[in-house]
Each structure stands twice: as structure tokens, then as C-alpha cells.
Amino acid sequence: MRRPDGTIPFSVEFNPPRDAAAEARLWRAAREFERMHPAFVSMTYGAGGSTRDRTARVTGQLARETTLLTVAHLTAVEHSVAELRSIVGTYADAGIRNLLVLRGDPPGDPLGEWRKHPEGLEYAEELVRMVRGLGDFHVGVASFPQGHHRSPDLDRDTAYLCAKLRAGAEYSITQMFFDVDDYLRLRDRVVACDPVEGAKPIIPELMPITSLRTVQRAEELSGRPLPARLLQRLEKAAGNDPEANRNAVRAVGIEIATEIGQRLIDEGAPGLHFITLNFAKATTEVLTNLGYTVTATPVSA
């Protein structure tokens, strides 16, 4: 469904702030995005200790104190079923009824060995069923254009996604990618796996690269190296002095994200989901390039 300005819906992802300064930056970004009316904002999940507590608090504040529809992440990793139920209850008390349900990666090493909590859940599919059984929640899940690194092959990975959708998930958000063809092939695989579930939205995730340093971060988040043709464009802009040419590198990164976004729109993607790292500027530049408009800052709900 198109927005009033003719664009498709977009959404943004925030990370749990680790201190007061980071929290202030997140709030500045949230207010900037309010002016562009995202379909929703999602908050990734910080497991354990004060990070978890801050995550829950800030997520609740976003839901109560802004006009933004807030989606909270929920991960099974290192949690018992009782703890997961308690977390869902905390979100419900804050008025949050939208959850992105994930199995989660082992803390400290996303590629490390997965270990189920002795009193927890093994698969995201189980977590979807648990959440749907707890009340009137809207549930999304993750999808992987190039396959999850733990899946033996793409067919098995697609079957896992279809199982999560059958369990009650209403949509999926992809892992970040830089080759639109990978997204299109994922979409085709899901339709072939289950035509009914294949009709559910698969929302592509992307992140503007603003420096050569963020290339490594992008590769960590996507689990895949940046395509050589894109890395070459960034390195050409950087020349022999990436610091002196950082504005040129940033401009190419914004250009690449705009190109990816436009092709996704042309190919019928239901929306665009941006990793922001709690900054608004780069994402809003890409959105502006794609025809999205900025309005006056809305009054907080």
C-alpha cells in the first residue's frame, strides 16, 4: 500500500543505547524520523543485565512518548520460557503488541555454537507459537536472502522460514544484503515452498555505508562480504587517503543505498527497512533521494 506521497512504506531499526549519551542520540534520531512517518520502528534486543533493562525501558518510552509504532525484538537465546513470557508481559504492559521474534545468536560470537537454554526453546518457530498463544500480538520473523549460516542449504533455510510463517508470523524482515537478486530469489523460493505463506510480506533490510569502517560493520551484520563491485566503488572514492576523502566515500555509500532501494521499489518490495545505528542523517538522505518527504515534527502521543 502506497503512502500519501506515493512512496512505499519504510521502517527503521534502532539498537539499545549503552549509556546516556547514546540514548540521547537515539532520541534525536527518533524525532527526525517522526517527521518522515515510518510505518514502524524496531528496537533490537539486548540480552542480560542493564542492557536488557535499558532496552525494555527505551522501547516502552518510544511506544508511549512518540507517534512511532514500535516493534520490539524478542530472542530465545539464553532465556527460559518463563523469562520469555515475562518479557512479553513487560512489553504488553507498555502497550507494545508488535514483536519481531528471533532465535538469536550466541552472545559474544554470532558464529559460535548455538546452545539452547535448559528451560528454553530451540527454534524461532516455537517462540512464534508461544507469543501468539499469549494474546493478541502481531509477530514478524527474520528471513535470509543468502541463507542463514547455520542452514545446510537454501531449500532447508526456506523451509524453516515457511514453518515460522505457518506458526503465525505475519511477515518477515530480511537480513541485510547488497545484491537485490538475492532478495528476489528468496521471494521466489518462499512462493514455491508455500504459495499461501509466500503472499506474506518479505521486507528487505538495507544500510547506507558512510565510511570504509562501516563496511566491516555491514559485513558483520549481513554475515557476507560486500560484493566486489561495490567495494571497488567505495575504495575508488577513498583513494589513498580514506580520511581526507571521507565525504566522497559517504556520497558513494548513499548512492549505492539509493540504487538498491530504487530497484527494490521497482521490483515490488512491500517496504524498505533501514539499519540506522541510531543515526538519522544517512537514512533520511537515501529516503529523500527516493522521493520521500519531510513534514513538520508531529506532536508526541
Side-chain angles (χ1 to χ4, degrees), residues 125 153-164 166 193:
E125 175 190 353
D153 53 56
L154 289 176
D155 287 341
R156 196 81 57 87
D157 189 77
T158 305
Y160 294 151
L161 173 57
C162 287
K164 291 187 288 186
R166 293 189 196 106
C193 171

Side-chain angles (χ1 to χ4, degrees), residues 8 19 54 75 91 97 134 141 149 231 239 256 259 288 299:
I8 66 172
D19 53 38
R54 189 186 292 269
T75 61
Y91 285 139
R97 291 285 172 173
L134 291 176
V141 292
H149 65 271
L231 184 58
I256 289 170
E259 292 167 0
T288 301
V299 177

Side-chain angles (χ1 to χ4, degrees), residues 238-276:
N240 295 324
D241 193 340
E243 183 61 25
N245 295 318
R246 62 184 182 276
N247 289 337
V249 174
R250 186 181 186 282
V252 170
I254 298 296
E255 185 178 83
I256 289 170
T258 300
E259 292 167 0
I260 293 172
Q262 187 59 62
R263 186 172 174 214
L264 287 166
I265 292 169
D266 294 342
E267 294 284 359
L272 301 174
H273 185 71
F274 289 86
I275 296 177
T276 69

Side-chain angles (χ1 to χ4, degrees), residues 47-48 75-80 83 103 105-107 114-117:
T75 61
V77 65
E78 293 200 320
H79 284 308
S80 68
E83 289 172 333
R103 188 168 81 158
D105 293 320
W114 162 262
R115 291 188 177 88
K116 172 188 170 183
H117 186 284

